[in-house]
Amino acid sequence: MIILGIETSCDETGIAIYDDERGLLANQLYSQISLHADYGGVVPELASRDHIRKTIPLIQAALKEANLTSSDINAVAYTAGPGLIGALLVGASIGRSLAYAWGVPAIAVHHMEGHLLAPMLEDNPPEFPFIALLVSGGHSQLIKVTEIGQYELLGESIDDAAGEAFDKTAKLLGLDYPGGAKLSKLAQLGNSQRFTFPRPMTDRPGLDFSFSGLKTFAANTVHQHSPLDEQTRADIARAFEDAIVDTLVIKSKRALEQTGYKRLVIAGGVSANLTLRQKLAELMQKRQGQVYYPRLAFCTDNGAMIAYAGMVRFKHQHIATDLSITVKPRWSLSELSTEPNSTL
Ligand code: KG4
Ligand code: ZN
């Protein structure tokens, strides 16, 4: 069974082809980062227009990469939410139209289910059940996963997402959008003893996060030490990264204790953070468990995770049945149905 996956929920056009026997056959990605850089964040209208330009050429490139033609595709999966409405509509319209023209099923995929299942594309995939720490530019969630489609939200950010906090703090330090990875690189040069930032909401029970105060703490520190010299920029980056990583580790540990689970999956853009990966690996070693994450290229948005999640949903008969093209810009993972034939 061969699935074409289309991801256009934000600022990356991702197209991939996944075969349930041979694995990933093609993976094409176009990042709009340079398009939005001048504005310091994603401009939704520019994002939609660029997805219109890039999606079909990338589908053609993916077919070529896989040495296939459109008649080899058994289903088309596209991200139906959550995300920017205009951007989502581009992928949904193209996905639904191609599926209709090719006479194959169309499958609406939840972007966060894509992230959550991305580690399944690796050689040593996690078995169920597991705790998933989903940390991206739009979400920070701890989820109890008992099987495909069984996602219980244990905790989430009550304000900024982890990636958003990284990006906002990076901006304060003069780094270009999206600054998460750049801040992390700068933090490597920082002295961890110079500043101590708070670990928000770790002094009370529960699994929710709050990161907006951390960003304000960073803003105040920047203000107090301006104009910043190079070492101070690096020291602030280090203090911020240590605080956010520690907070994520403390809450993940709590979720594992609460459930007794031995497997932890991290996914979403912030799972590319090497300090987070290392600290969670140490935690799981101590707990005699195992941590799983996608390869770096599949931590951030990509088509491969959508093609894979589409294949899983296809096997569960989650096929779009009517002809309307609907997207869900806001869509909770816990609303995802496991009933056959249910789509949006
Ligand atoms: O999953 P993703 O590509 O898009 C969303 O669905 O939001 O995540 C993007 C986010 C951005 O906020 C970016 O700064 C952050 O992931 N990110 C990182 C790193 N690489 C990407 N944050 C911290 N450290 C990194 N190495
Ligand atoms: Zn994402």
Side-chain angles (χ1 to χ4, degrees):
M1 188 189 308
I2 300 180
I3 311 272
L4 172 72
I6 303 175
E7 156 61 33
T8 65
S9 68
C10 189
D11 57 351
E12 255 105 28
T13 317
I15 306 292
I17 298 175
Y18 187 84
D19 179 343
D20 66 344
E21 283 170 12
R22 289 181 293 160
L24 194 62
L25 302 183
N27 183 50
Q28 297 282 329
L29 186 79
Y30 178 78
S31 172
Q32 303 177 352
I33 282 178
S34 58
L35 178 71
H36 302 290
D38 286 349
Y39 304 94
V42 178
V43 183
E45 185 55 28
L46 293 183
S48 318
R49 290 183 198 193
D50 209 49
H51 286 307
I52 292 173
R53 278 191 286 270
K54 298 295 180 339
T55 305
I56 290 176
L58 284 185
I59 293 173
Q60 287 165 331
L63 286 168
K64 196 166 170 213
E65 184 189 345
N67 206 11
L68 298 175
T69 65
S70 55
S71 58
D72 297 310
I73 302 295
N74 301 116
V76 180
Y78 58 92
T79 304
L84 302 170
I85 187 163
L88 289 167
L89 275 169
V90 176
S93 306
I94 294 175
R96 292 297 301 267
S97 306
L98 286 179
Y100 186 70
W102 295 344
V104 298
I107 302 148
V109 172
H110 192 294
H111 181 81
M112 297 313 288
E113 184 175 50
H115 275 304
L116 193 149
L117 297 179
M120 304 282 184
L121 288 159
E122 303 307 329
D123 285 343
N124 176 25
E127 284 173 27
F128 298 105
F130 55 78
I131 294 295
L133 173 66
L134 292 184
V135 270
S136 71
H139 294 80
S140 301
Q141 300 181 322
L142 273 165
I143 296 166
K144 180 179 166 185
V145 180
T146 35
E147 58 176 282
I148 295 280
Q150 297 289 344
Y151 308 130
E152 186 189 329
L153 184 64
L154 300 177
E156 65 182 332
S157 177
I158 58 168
D159 41 51
D160 291 355
E164 194 180 354
F166 262 103
D167 293 342
K168 286 178 176 170
T169 305
K171 203 171 180 176
L172 290 171
L173 296 173
L175 300 166
D176 285 345
Y177 181 86
K182 296 175 195 111
L183 183 148
S184 182
K185 210 168 160 213
L186 182 62
Q188 285 172 10
L189 308 171
N191 172 1
S192 64
Q193 308 301 316
R194 174 135 175 236
F195 300 111
T196 305
F197 281 29
R199 274 63 175 153
M201 292 179 73
T202 52
D203 55 351
R204 58 183 109 157
L207 294 170
D208 285 338
F209 306 100
S210 164
F211 294 122
S212 72
L214 207 48
K215 174 201 65 199
T216 309
F217 199 92
N220 291 339
T221 313
V222 167
H223 188 67
Q224 281 159 16
H225 293 84
S226 284
L228 297 182
D229 58 53
E230 272 310 295
Q231 190 57 48
T232 307
R233 279 175 79 233
D235 294 345
I236 294 174
R238 178 66 188 264
F240 172 81
E241 183 178 64
D242 283 352
I244 206 159
V245 165
D246 258 11
T247 307
L248 293 170
V249 171
I250 291 167
K251 297 280 167 138
S252 301
K253 180 169 174 248
R254 233 178 247 180
L256 291 159
E257 279 165 0
Q258 196 171 303
T259 53
Y261 287 2
K262 289 279 179 207
R263 285 178 285 265
L264 176 70
V265 161
I266 45 168
V270 181
S271 68
N273 186 280
L274 297 178
T275 313
L276 178 66
R277 286 176 179 227
Q278 191 193 329
K279 288 273 165 66
L280 287 174
E282 284 165 17
L283 170 76
M284 294 317 282
Q285 203 177 2
K286 263 188 235 148
R287 299 184 63 80
Q288 293 174 330
Q290 181 77 35
V291 63
Y292 301 84
Y293 37 74
R295 73 193 78 167
L296 284 176
F298 294 166
C299 288
T300 43
D301 292 349
N302 64 87
M305 66 185 196
I306 302 305
Y308 183 84
M311 193 271 297
V312 169
R313 289 276 151 193
F314 187 48
K315 288 188 172 168
H316 283 69
Q317 293 293 306
H318 281 228
I319 293 162
T321 42
D322 64 9
L323 287 178
S324 65
I325 298 174
T326 320
V327 293
K328 275 195 177 182
R330 287 176 173 274
W331 188 8
S332 160
L333 247 192
S334 42
E335 282 168 29
L336 253 187
S337 173
T338 45
E339 297 298 312
N341 294 322
S342 57
T343 49
L344 284 177

